[in-house]
Amino acid sequence: MPARRLPSWVWVTGLTVGAVVAVTVLTVQADKGPQPTATAARPSASATGAQPTPTKSAAPTAVPDGSGSGRRIVYSLGQKRVWLVDASDAARRTFAVWPGTVDPAPGTYTVGTRTDATTGSDGVQIEHIVYFATASGANIAFSSAVDGSSPPPPAEGVRTGGIRMKTADGDALWTFGETGTTVVVVS
């Protein structure tokens, strides 16, 4: 009796199941290993002499008390700082920001609209715009300048709701701040 050959779909199915099992095992092992810690990246003033860089502290800044729990973006008006907090309440990243002239009221918001790129109200090309509130007729959103610069000082009386950050921080917030993500603003 001649040996039977297995159909190709059996081989493909077997290899696919094996690959899925291998990836699952590696994922579980990776979750049990050491996790990266957040670093405090801080914006610096651009060559245009815009707003100064906040003073650097020796240790990473803790997530503010009263900022809720679970996966969220926390924005401190007083510290001019953002935290990306995971579901276990651990800060995965924190960084200083340059706020606009209009602040959102302290409270809980939700990421609504996201825009890849546009021109900011200051004429600067910006990217990764994550809108979460309105205040005094201004849209409040996180963003970063395409060229990585800090925003220029606004003209007298101009209301801006953009909260700018360094490009790498903007990339991280864009990835983290999907539509529906909670944003908590604290004093």
Side-chain angles (χ1 to χ4, degrees), residues 53-91:
T53 302
T55 311
K56 187 173 184 176
S57 62
T61 308
V63 178
D65 291 334
S67 67
S69 62
R71 188 177 186 282
R72 65 200 183 280
I73 299 168
V74 177
Y75 172 44
S76 170
L77 299 169
Q79 294 184 49
K80 298 178 182 162
R81 175 168 289 281
V82 168
W83 290 261
L84 306 180
V85 182
D86 67 16
S88 68
D89 287 328

Side-chain angles (χ1 to χ4, degrees), residues 5-168:
R5 226 180 123 152
L6 292 175
S8 62
W9 67 267
V10 172
W11 285 103
V12 170
T13 302
L15 291 172
T16 302
V17 168
V20 169
V21 169
V23 167
T24 302
V25 168
L26 292 173
T27 300
V28 169
Q29 288 176 343
D31 283 343
K32 292 180 182 177
Q35 301 295 319
T37 57
T39 59
R42 299 179 183 272
S44 61
S46 71
T48 63
Q51 301 166 1
T53 302
T55 311
K56 187 173 184 176
S57 62
T61 308
V63 178
D65 291 334
S67 67
S69 62
R71 188 177 186 282
R72 65 200 183 280
I73 299 168
V74 177
Y75 172 44
S76 170
L77 299 169
Q79 294 184 49
K80 298 178 182 162
R81 175 168 289 281
V82 168
W83 290 261
L84 306 180
V85 182
D86 67 16
S88 68
D89 287 328
R92 290 296 165 202
R93 187 179 187 108
T94 182
F95 46 89
V97 296
W98 295 287
T101 60
V102 178
D103 289 328
T108 302
Y109 302 88
T110 303
V111 171
T113 306
R114 292 167 27 114
T115 303
D116 286 332
T118 192
T119 301
S121 59
D122 55 6
V124 173
Q125 292 296 311
I126 57 174
E127 63 183 353
H128 298 150
I129 305 98
V130 177
Y131 296 92
F132 67 92
T134 58
S136 301
N139 291 317
I140 309 296
F142 299 111
S143 66
S144 59
V146 172
D147 67 3
S149 66
S150 64
E156 184 67 33
V158 173
R159 293 188 340 235
T160 61
I163 302 163
R164 295 272 175 85
M165 58 202 66
K166 288 284 199 182
T167 304

